[in-house]
């Protein structure tokens, strides 16, 4: 929830200032990492999709990227 709530709260300001959002995800969101944590992988995949959706919706006004640490 924190990524969504933070984006919702800050986007009006970021649009005015042409700011950027950087979300933190994980390589577990795109491939098997050897650890049996499907809930974690699903949550990080949701962060990736939210990042993509925001990037497309606010293209040209706000830069939106994700870091997939791992």
């Amino acid at each position: 929830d924190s990524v969504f709530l933070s984006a919702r709260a800050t986007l009006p300001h970021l649009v005015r200032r042409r700011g950027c959002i950087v979300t933190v995800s994980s390589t577990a969101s795109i491939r098997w990492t050897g650890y049996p944590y499907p809930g974690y992988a699903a949550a990080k995949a949701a962060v990736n999709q939210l990042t993509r959706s925001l990037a497309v919706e606010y293209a040209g006004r706000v830069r939106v990227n994700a870091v997939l640490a791992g």
Side-chain angles (χ1 to χ4, degrees):
D1 293 341
S2 61
V3 175
F4 169 74
L5 295 173
S6 297
R8 185 177 69 176
T10 59
L11 271 167
H13 174 73
L14 293 174
V15 168
R16 286 192 303 271
R17 299 287 187 161
R18 298 183 57 85
C20 63
I21 295 174
V22 179
T23 60
V24 179
S25 187
S26 170
T27 55
S29 66
I30 59 171
R31 65 178 177 85
W32 173 250
T33 59
Y35 297 101
Y37 302 126
Y40 176 78
K44 293 303 180 174
V47 170
N48 290 352
Q49 188 57 43
L50 177 61
T51 302
R52 288 183 183 115
S53 296
L54 291 172
V56 170
E57 184 174 347
Y58 290 94
R61 297 178 287 165
V62 177
R63 187 179 61 221
V64 185
N65 292 300
V67 174
L68 275 64

